[in-house]
């Protein structure tokens, strides 16, 4: 049995040792633990949505889908896992926790904090996208597209980070596209690329309405501009067999 800590909590490193890790056809390592409310087929469908070209860069990653993941104590250095959901523990948990394991970089995703398949999928895909960009960087083709949209002042962005860093790229500067904060520009391009990958993967796994990503803190990127980014990502990373990418626009009555 895994080592108990308190209130039935288990140390994440021990959960990793005792949880069967599967290797999806695309190469991603993942496991499921506890009362996570997931069906095996649904989880496999989500994981396999990651194109093999992206999954190849994640050889060091292992994704664990657990009911709740939370930090131990005030320092938050260690990660604990709850084998089942409780309201008290849910208040302490976070959407995911990163853990250094003996042979992998573990990502423990709190399935019971993410109320539906949409939220769970997006949390997983955001983690995948950021990990991928950390390894590979941003391709020139995407940099050129996203920056041309920023210079043209296309409305909105795909996340708070992208929105803030894009604005900071021009903050305190003239309107000239040749005078920018290069550090903020780099941050913007990395965030925008990560976001676009995550949204692209989400579109492969489930059918969703773009407005479901709406946040209060920033306006969403204009649909036409997002479509351009997603089509480019789709060309760079074609879907695996059994998945299809499509952008559909709907006119308001």
């Amino acid at each position: 049995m895994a080592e108990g800590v308190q209130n039935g909590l288990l140390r994440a490193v021990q959960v990793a040792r005792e949880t069967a890790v599967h290797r999806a056809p695309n190469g991603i390592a993942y496991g499921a633990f506890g009362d996570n409310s997931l069906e095996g087929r649904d989880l496999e469908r989500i994981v396999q949505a990651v194109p093999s070209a992206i999954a190849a860069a994640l050889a060091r990653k292992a994704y664990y889908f657990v009911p709740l993941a939370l930090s131990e104590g005030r320092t938050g250095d260690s990660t604990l896992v709850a084998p089942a959901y409780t309201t008290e523990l849910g208040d302490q948990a976070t959407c995911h926790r990163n853990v250094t394991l003996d042979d992998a970089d573990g990502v423990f995703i709190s399935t019971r904090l993410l109320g539906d398949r949409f939220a769970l999928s997006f949390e997983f895909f955001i983690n995948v996208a950021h990990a991928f960009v950390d390894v590979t960087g941003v391709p020139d083709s995407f940099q050129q597209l996203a920056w041309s949209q920023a210079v043209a002042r296309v409305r909105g962005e795909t996340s708070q980070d992208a929105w803030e860093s894009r604005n900071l790229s021009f903050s305190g500067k003239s309107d000239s596209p040749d005078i920018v904060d290069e550090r903020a520009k780099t941050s913007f391009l990395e965030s925008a690329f990560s976001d676009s990958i995550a949204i692209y993967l989400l579109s492969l796994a489930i059918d969703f309405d773009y407005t479901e990503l709406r946040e209060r803190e920033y306006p969403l990127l204009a649909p036409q501009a997002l479509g351009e980014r997603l089509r480019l990502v789709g060309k760079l990373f074609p879907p695996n067999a059994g998945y299809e990418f499509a952008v559909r626009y709907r006119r308001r009555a």
Side-chain angles (χ1 to χ4, degrees):
M1 295 294 291
E3 176 187 355
V5 180
Q6 56 180 332
N7 298 326
L9 298 177
L10 311 170
R11 297 194 185 279
V13 291
Q14 190 71 19
V15 170
R17 292 192 191 105
E18 300 191 3
T19 298
V21 174
H22 306 281
R23 185 73 63 173
N26 59 6
I28 288 183
Y30 71 101
F33 169 80
D35 184 13
N36 53 53
S37 73
L38 291 173
E39 294 290 339
R41 291 182 180 179
D42 288 342
L43 181 55
E44 182 179 358
R45 175 74 182 174
I46 292 169
V47 173
Q48 181 58 19
V50 180
S52 298
I54 293 177
L58 308 176
R60 281 284 307 170
K61 293 288 184 180
Y63 296 89
Y64 294 89
F65 296 85
V66 302
L68 297 171
L70 54 156
S71 61
E72 180 180 23
R74 295 181 179 179
T75 61
D77 293 335
S78 298
T79 293
L80 303 177
V81 171
Y85 176 86
T86 69
T87 301
E88 179 183 0
L89 293 176
D91 290 340
Q92 302 173 45
T94 58
C95 291
H96 78 276
R97 293 277 298 176
N98 297 320
V99 180
T100 300
L101 305 173
D102 294 337
D103 57 353
D105 297 324
V107 181
F108 289 75
I109 297 177
S110 298
T111 64
R112 298 296 296 273
L113 277 188
L114 304 162
D116 54 28
R117 192 162 173 252
F118 171 89
L120 172 65
S121 299
F122 198 51
E123 178 68 21
F124 171 60
F125 294 141
I126 280 289
N127 275 277
V128 164
H130 281 289
F132 177 75
V133 174
D134 286 345
V135 172
T136 67
V138 184
D140 290 341
S141 56
F142 188 90
Q143 291 189 42
Q144 293 169 10
L145 172 60
W147 189 243
S148 69
Q149 293 174 342
V151 170
R153 300 298 196 267
V154 170
R155 177 182 61 81
E157 261 309 327
T158 47
S159 69
Q160 183 72 23
D161 287 344
W163 175 248
E164 291 181 351
S165 56
R166 173 176 149 179
N167 290 333
L168 287 172
S169 297
F170 302 101
S171 179
K173 306 290 184 180
S174 73
D175 288 335
S176 170
D178 297 322
I179 305 177
V180 299
D181 183 320
E182 291 297 332
R183 183 175 180 179
K185 176 182 176 181
T186 297
S187 178
F188 159 64
L189 293 172
E190 291 176 346
S191 295
F193 189 46
S194 298
D195 296 342
S196 296
I197 291 174
I199 296 170
Y200 168 66
L201 299 182
L202 186 63
S203 76
L204 298 180
I206 63 176
D207 185 14
F208 73 99
D209 190 316
Y210 179 40
T211 59
E212 294 180 57
L213 296 173
R214 190 182 306 280
E215 297 283 351
R216 294 182 179 179
E217 291 79 7
Y218 64 92
L220 281 176
L221 182 65
Q224 186 64 40
L226 177 67
E228 293 174 353
R229 293 186 189 181
L230 296 185
R231 289 188 185 93
L232 176 56
V233 172
K235 290 180 180 179
L236 293 171
F237 313 110
N240 294 329
Y243 295 83
E244 180 184 5
F245 170 64
V247 175
R248 298 183 176 89
Y249 297 98
R250 181 175 58 192
R251 294 177 180 271
R252 290 184 177 180

